[in-house]
Amino acid sequence: NLLSNYSNLLITLEDFQNVEKYKLEALSISKRIKGDKSYDAAINNFQLGYFYKLIGQYDLAINYYQEAK
């Protein structure tokens, strides 16, 4: 999904403030269109987990990694 890809680019550019916004929006869209347990939602949850791990917010990272299962 375009928002997910864009947010990955923002990680590379270290624009962490906007990464969270776009990743959360991508997750919201995935859940709304394909459902909470869809493959797309799982990928977006995993990517959010990775992002939060990257910035040191480990509790949030664990939550999103667990949602990705």
Side-chain angles (χ1 to χ4, degrees), residues 28-47:
S28 175
I29 291 169
S30 293
K31 286 181 172 183
R32 191 171 50 244
I33 293 173
K34 297 192 176 186
D36 290 352
K37 300 299 179 188
S38 69
Y39 175 78
D40 288 346
I43 293 296
N44 284 304
N45 275 313
F46 182 84
Q47 289 180 347

Side-chain angles (χ1 to χ4, degrees), residues 6 8 10 12 16-18 21 24 26-27 34 45-46 57 60-61 63-65 67:
Y6 182 63
N8 290 337
L10 293 175
T12 303
F16 298 130
Q17 182 178 359
N18 286 311
K21 175 175 65 174
L24 288 170
L27 176 60
K34 297 192 176 186
N45 275 313
F46 182 84
Q57 293 187 16
L60 283 172
N63 290 340
Y64 282 102
Y65 280 140
E67 280 293 311

